Amino acid sequence: MLFLLITCFTFITFLCKSLSLKPLPLWSSSEVRLLSIWFWNDLLILNPFKKGFLESLMSSNVMTLRRKSFSYRVENVETNSEMSVLDLPELVLECILERLPPEGLYSMASVCSSLREKCTSKYLWEKHMKEKWGRVLGPAAHREWLWHISSRNDSSFFNQAKKRGLMTYLSQFWPISLVRSNPSTSFKKKDPPAIDSIMSMYLALESGKFWFPAQVYNRENGHVGFMLSCYDAELSYSRRTDTFQARYPPHGRRAMAIETGVTWDRLRVPPLDTSPHDLYISDCLTELCPGDHIEIQWRRNKEFPYGWWYGVVGHLETCDGNEYYCRCHESDTVVLEFKQYTHGSRWRTTHIDRKDHREEGNEADGFYGGIRKLHSNEEISMWRRLWPSDVLE
């Protein structure tokens, strides 16, 4: 019995000294409790006088401590080996940025100066510009943008970014939660994107502060007086409703007309880069044949701008329409039909001179201008989709 007490006292003294010499790791308290339980369990169940008892007990506890220490070191290595997005290969990072929506690019641009440079690149924003705005922006819109950024009054809009910081500037267009960054990483004092960049143009379009020229089908909410026509207008985008506000130029003494809620499918890029007040010089008159689809300029009087109206080339009154005997394409007179109007309507047909076509008409029936032949099935199908449900008078 005395031998047992001396043995236990010696081991407990050794254990206490070994634990007090070195600082305990994070798992020390629970480990000591486990050691205590294991110790007394072995002490009560096993024979302490058995040869090798203390050696086996010590080796078991040492192996447990080694396993816990190794696990602790592995956890530390995994914690300290976190990768930054900038540690990714350049090609991988570019692929990620290419898949981000515009809101995501803005958020990424607020992380650090390196990501800001990448997220404001021309390559990324040209893609977004083409996908969303490419089908409604033409040469006239890009010229308007250049004038917009060069004018003194409009440039003050972009100078707000320099005065208030980029995050405040961006919060005008997306919820602040999407562009807010950590104060330690934000580049509040950095200059905003160049005002002539693709990113700035995209931002100005999304904000609705930039009015761009385009053409609107069936203006003024499909007013019967403009059915199957397309008129020039200045447009401003509303991101909240995903629609546009249109401003039509004044007609004579009539004030500027404004229309809201214009949808994307009613917009197009002007097919000709000309002013709506200029007569288009037709280059297709000699090739017009019955059945051809055309657009013709028309205006109410000489003070009004032209709109483009859809029609088809018809047959002369002396022709029965038989394709084997038709000689309408050889005549100097071309018949234009507007089949959205009922037979007998004064708007149903008009005639033009194939060889010497000028603006023709009068104050009562309006004035017909230049003609463009439609070759694209996409353009023709667009007019057919807009066809009125009822015949017009």
Side-chain angles (χ1 to χ4, degrees), residues 26-46:
L26 297 176
W27 43 263
S28 59
S29 59
S30 60
E31 189 65 36
V32 169
R33 286 195 295 269
L34 287 173
L35 286 173
S36 177
I37 293 172
W38 291 338
F39 174 76
W40 290 111
N41 184 58
D42 289 340
L43 186 63
L44 294 175
I45 296 177
L46 299 177

Side-chain angles (χ1 to χ4, degrees), residues 22 45 55 76 93 108 184 186 199 201 247 254 265 271 277 308 310 344 377:
K22 296 182 180 181
I45 296 177
E55 291 80 1
N76 279 343
L93 181 56
M108 290 290 285
S184 62
S186 65
M199 174 181 174
M201 185 177 183
R247 297 189 307 208
R254 183 182 177 185
D265 60 343
H277 293 275
W308 289 95
Y310 171 72
N377 290 330

Side-chain angles (χ1 to χ4, degrees), residues 110-335:
S110 67
V111 174
C112 62
S113 58
S114 297
L115 283 176
R116 178 177 182 269
E117 182 179 354
K118 296 179 182 295
C119 292
T120 58
S121 69
K122 179 180 178 181
Y123 168 74
L124 293 175
W125 287 99
E126 277 184 338
K127 175 186 174 183
H128 290 298
M129 181 69 77
K130 182 178 180 180
E131 287 180 354
K132 183 168 185 177
W133 295 97
R135 61 190 179 90
V136 296
L137 296 180
H142 289 281
R143 285 197 304 271
E144 183 70 17
W145 170 249
L146 294 178
W147 178 87
H148 180 80
I149 63 177
S150 63
S151 62
R152 180 177 303 177
N153 293 335
D154 292 330
S155 63
S156 63
F157 163 70
F158 295 97
N159 290 336
Q160 295 175 13
K162 297 182 179 179
K163 295 178 181 179
R164 297 184 293 166
L166 183 62
M167 290 297 99
T168 306
Y169 175 64
L170 296 180
S171 67
Q172 300 176 85
F173 317 111
W174 277 283
I176 188 64
S177 60
L178 294 177
V179 296
R180 184 178 291 140
S181 63
N182 189 303
S184 62
T185 59
S186 65
F187 43 96
K188 195 170 183 178
K189 296 183 179 179
K190 299 286 185 180
D191 290 336
I195 62 175
D196 60 344
S197 66
I198 301 295
M199 174 181 174
S200 292
M201 185 177 183
Y202 188 98
L203 183 148
L205 287 165
E206 289 283 328
S207 71
K209 295 182 181 292
F210 172 50
W211 291 77
F212 64 94
Q215 290 184 346
V216 182
Y217 290 101
N218 294 353
R219 58 173 286 179
E220 299 184 31
N221 296 309
H223 187 282
V224 65
F226 297 102
M227 194 61 67
L228 289 190
S229 68
C230 197
Y231 275 79
D232 287 80
E234 291 181 337
L235 295 139
S236 172
Y237 178 65
S238 170
R239 193 167 185 271
R240 182 180 61 84
T241 61
D242 193 31
T243 58
F244 296 85
Q245 181 178 3
R247 297 189 307 208
Y248 301 101
H251 292 184
R253 297 180 181 178
R254 183 182 177 185
M256 177 183 294
I258 297 177
E259 179 184 357
T260 58
V262 179
T263 53
W264 286 87
D265 60 343
R266 289 177 55 202
L267 302 182
R268 76 172 183 182
V269 175
L272 301 173
D273 194 16
T274 59
S275 168
H277 293 275
D278 295 339
L279 176 68
Y280 171 63
I281 306 302
S282 307
D283 58 359
C284 63
L285 297 179
T286 58
E287 61 185 68
L288 291 179
C289 298
D292 287 343
H293 300 263
I294 58 96
E295 291 179 11
I296 186 170
Q297 289 178 312
W298 183 87
R299 58 182 174 179
R300 185 66 179 177
N301 60 51
K302 295 203 181 261
E303 294 180 354
F304 283 27
Y306 286 111
W308 289 95
W309 293 73
Y310 171 72
V312 295
V313 178
H315 293 272
L316 297 171
E317 294 180 358
T318 56
C319 180
D320 61 2
N322 189 313
E323 60 179 336
Y324 297 105
Y325 301 101
C326 177
R327 293 292 180 266
C328 294
H329 60 281
E330 298 175 356
S331 173
D332 291 341
T333 301
V334 179
V335 177

